[in-house]
Amino acid sequence: MSEQLKVPTMAEYMAEGKQPEILFWVGSAGSYDDRAKKITKAFVKILNKANVDFAVLGTEESNTGDVAKRAGNEFLFQMQAMMNIEVLNAYEIKRIVTCDPHSFNCIKNEYPSLGGNYEVMHHTQFIKELIDSGRLTLEGNTYKGKRITFHDPCYLGRANSEYEAPRHLLKKTNANLVEMKRHKSTALCCGAGGAQMFKEPEKGDKDINVLRTEDALEIKPDIIATGCPYCNTMMSDGIKAKEKENEISVMDIAELIANT
């Protein structure tokens, strides 16, 4: 029997004249991609467990416009952003949490100039806050002794200098955290950013995600941890290309924490 997850919408909160503690920005991947939906559910499970008062926009949430902007369509980006900002401001949203570093970066750094000013957090930062304040406790033996390596998402790490929150959480699982040679500020991109996710790679010797997977395989992990739905797809594809899917799993930090 699947457990019931409570996911209230902003419209429902508004109808009761209440304001949630955070707005959970699900993002396109988390809404439509089957693999990423599991990350969304894991994060909701954590929010429910910690009794966090949260809401989602539901059908009122539209694409942030990040992909359009990266692909060079500034006009489409501004249209999409303005639509979202109008909705967010009408609901008087203050804090936004998302599992997608692309949405995180876009809303945090690119919405303010269009009139959207919010406190924006990546889900690893928010989960760390929940643990630090004692609202979430981990038993922490599911991954004891497992070798886990963390692949830094570009838009969380190099673009926003957040390297510690994800690693802090991984240590809380009692796993053995091992670092790839290229990590933190020298980490290699998974190959999906800048709208590359939606096109075939140019001709070359090797796909970036395969190269990045080789970085991980060098240190023989049991699990590759990610903090981004796109990285998750790219690393999973890399593991498949290397025919290692029976030995190594690719999991988002939210999934690891939800299972801990």
Side-chain angles (χ1 to χ4, degrees):
M1 191 184 93
S2 69
E3 57 184 312
Q4 274 308 108
L5 293 173
K6 294 198 298 285
V7 188
T9 63
M10 267 316 295
E12 288 165 2
Y13 265 88
M14 199 70 168
E16 291 177 29
K18 290 195 310 200
Q19 199 62 354
E21 182 184 337
I22 61 158
L23 173 81
F24 171 28
W25 185 274
V26 183
S28 303
S31 304
Y32 297 109
D33 179 79
D34 285 342
R35 177 63 187 89
K37 282 182 200 170
K38 293 178 182 171
I39 300 170
T40 303
K41 285 178 183 158
F43 185 54
V44 168
K45 194 173 149 188
I46 293 166
L47 293 175
N48 285 171
K49 190 180 169 189
N51 292 317
V52 175
D53 221 2
F54 78 99
V56 297
L57 286 176
T59 52
E60 291 184 279
E61 181 185 301
S62 175
N63 189 288
T64 56
D66 167 76
V67 175
K69 189 178 182 74
R70 303 294 164 248
N73 194 337
E74 183 65 24
F75 177 67
L76 177 58
F77 160 69
Q78 292 206 11
M79 273 174 44
Q80 290 181 299
M82 298 294 278
M83 257 169 48
N84 285 321
I85 289 167
E86 214 168 286
V87 172
L88 292 167
N89 288 353
Y91 281 130
E92 296 177 5
I93 298 297
K94 304 281 184 288
R95 291 185 97 191
I96 298 174
V97 180
T98 180
C99 298
D100 177 9
H102 298 260
S103 298
F104 165 73
N105 178 68
C106 192
I107 300 172
K108 180 178 190 278
N109 299 322
E110 291 161 353
Y111 274 27
S113 63
L114 297 169
N117 294 286
Y118 321 101
E119 183 194 347
V120 190
M121 298 182 84
H122 184 248
H123 67 309
T124 57
Q125 296 173 325
F126 189 67
I127 297 168
K128 180 180 183 295
E129 188 182 287
L130 292 176
I131 292 172
D132 289 349
S133 61
R135 296 172 68 185
L136 181 70
T137 49
L138 305 177
E139 280 71 57
N141 280 323
T142 319
Y143 300 103
K144 199 174 168 70
K146 291 272 185 216
R147 284 173 71 82
I148 298 185
T149 191
F150 179 60
H151 162 73
D152 287 278
C154 296
Y155 279 107
L156 183 65
R158 284 175 299 157
N160 287 285
S161 302
E162 178 58 84
Y163 301 112
E164 292 316 314
R167 287 172 172 81
H168 179 85
L169 296 182
L170 289 172
K171 284 173 186 156
K172 290 276 182 199
T173 65
N174 286 331
N176 181 8
L177 183 60
V178 287
E179 295 285 9
M180 290 182 247
K181 207 182 308 162
R182 292 186 262 205
H183 67 285
K184 295 190 177 175
S185 61
T186 62
L188 183 71
C189 173
C190 73
Q196 299 291 319
M197 180 79 183
F198 307 101
K199 58 182 271 297
E200 289 304 313
E202 285 86 0
K203 219 168 167 50
D205 300 330
K206 191 182 285 184
D207 287 355
I208 293 184
N209 62 318
V210 174
L211 185 60
R212 186 55 172 156
T213 303
E214 286 171 1
D215 280 0
L217 294 180
E218 251 175 48
I219 53 169
K220 301 185 167 40
D222 298 306
I223 298 166
I224 298 172
T226 57
C228 167
Y230 299 108
C231 294
N232 196 296
T233 298
M234 299 303 269
M235 297 307 280
S236 297
D237 286 352
I239 289 295
K240 281 179 195 138
K242 292 286 181 185
E243 299 184 348
K244 295 278 187 194
E245 61 264 52
N246 295 330
E247 300 150 51
I248 300 171
S249 43
V250 179
M251 293 176 79
D252 189 271
I253 290 185
E255 296 176 302
L256 292 164
I257 294 294
N259 294 338
T260 298

